[in-house]
Amino acid sequence: TKNRLLTKFDEYFKVLMDDKSFEEFKAKFIAEKGIEHFCDFLYKCSFIKAHLNHESPFEHGVITYRITHASRACLNQLVRCRIASYSQMSQRYCAEDPKSIDVVLPKAILENKEVFQDVTHYLYQLPELIEKMKKAGIKNEDIRTVFPNAMCSDIVVTMNLREIKHFLELRTTSHAQTEIRYIANDLRTKLINYMPFIWSDIGDKVE
């Protein structure tokens, strides 16, 4: 990944450094500090450039991550980030075991005793309903239409750094729904450990 990003940023910074021999500068930098530090240098330069209202360098880097056991309601919000690629677990080909259906319920429902009882009553009826539909010859692609948005799913996401930055700015605030805010904050924490100079500027927006 670093070699791929290095090639992309090389092309960009050759334009920025037209007053020097970029290849000589690069060779000297790598000889003295190593290729890892040179990659970090390019990242930091792109970060500075982004602060000048030019974030296009971020689009050359991509990150792929996997989210597990998230509700369909949450993932429906995630896929609204249009500049990304998604591979989500199929409810047609990865049919749920009616006896072990996982769901994610928000705190507001969990803490309301009366509502929680009604919701769990509905969910306990779901396995029986699924079995009934299967015995009736109904296919998985049609059975899934009655599944609740609370049911868990897994998804693999690939985003460029600019889109991730946009996603975090939207989904780490108190206005975001709790579950997706948890995912966004967890992702941000991991990214800060890996590339702190890229994500530090949105820290004050996280609530």
Side-chain angles (χ1 to χ4, degrees):
T1 300
K2 276 188 177 292
N3 287 335
R4 183 175 63 182
L5 292 176
L6 180 59
T7 301
K8 293 287 188 180
F9 281 120
D10 266 10
E11 296 172 358
Y12 179 75
F13 281 96
K14 282 179 182 178
V15 176
L16 295 184
M17 299 179 66
D18 54 2
D19 59 330
K20 296 182 180 180
S21 170
F22 180 81
E23 293 301 330
E24 289 181 5
F25 168 78
K26 173 183 172 183
K28 182 178 179 181
F29 197 113
I30 293 176
E32 293 179 355
K33 299 185 179 181
I35 192 170
E36 293 290 328
H37 285 284
F38 187 68
C39 288
D40 289 341
F41 165 75
L42 294 181
Y43 267 129
K44 290 175 182 178
C45 286
S46 68
F47 175 64
I48 294 171
K49 188 65 177 175
H51 272 284
L52 299 177
N53 297 319
H54 184 55
E55 295 188 346
S56 62
F58 285 157
E59 296 175 13
H60 295 297
V62 298
I63 290 178
T64 299
Y65 56 98
R66 182 186 180 195
I67 300 172
T68 61
H69 292 86
S71 71
R72 285 266 170 174
C74 174
L75 297 184
N76 286 344
Q77 299 175 65
L78 173 65
V79 297
R80 290 177 187 148
C81 293
R82 306 309 304 163
I83 309 175
S85 297
Y86 304 99
S87 295
Q88 188 169 4
M89 185 176 70
S90 170
Q91 289 182 323
R92 178 182 183 183
Y93 298 108
C94 303
E96 296 283 348
D97 180 358
K99 297 180 181 179
S100 60
I101 294 176
D102 292 330
V103 298
V104 177
L105 296 177
K107 187 177 180 181
I109 292 178
L110 294 174
E111 293 182 345
N112 188 312
K113 186 176 180 180
E114 183 178 350
V115 171
F116 178 69
Q117 287 179 343
D118 290 339
V119 171
T120 52
H121 176 69
Y122 158 69
L123 293 175
Y124 281 134
Q125 290 181 318
L126 189 57
E128 182 180 347
L129 176 60
I130 293 174
E131 286 291 352
K132 185 176 182 179
M133 288 189 288
K134 286 186 175 182
K135 290 179 180 179
I138 301 176
K139 297 181 179 180
N140 287 334
E141 63 230 56
D142 297 324
I143 292 176
R144 63 183 173 179
T145 61
V146 302
F147 289 170
N149 268 340
M151 287 185 68
C152 290
S153 183
D154 296 352
I155 194 169
V156 175
V157 184
T158 298
M159 287 184 181
N160 67 48
L161 301 183
R162 188 177 191 177
E163 183 68 4
I164 290 179
K165 189 170 181 288
H166 175 65
F167 166 70
L168 295 180
E169 287 173 342
L170 291 177
R171 301 300 186 179
T172 54
T173 70
S174 58
H175 300 290
Q177 191 259 350
T178 304
E179 186 182 1
I180 198 167
R181 188 166 73 243
Y182 173 83
I183 291 173
N185 279 321
D186 183 64
L187 175 61
R188 179 181 178 273
T189 298
K190 290 179 171 61
L191 291 173
I192 285 177
N193 291 333
Y194 183 60
M195 296 178 288
F197 38 82
I198 291 183
W199 314 108
S200 59
D201 70 321
I202 64 171
D204 292 339
K205 298 181 183 179
V206 177
E207 300 178 22

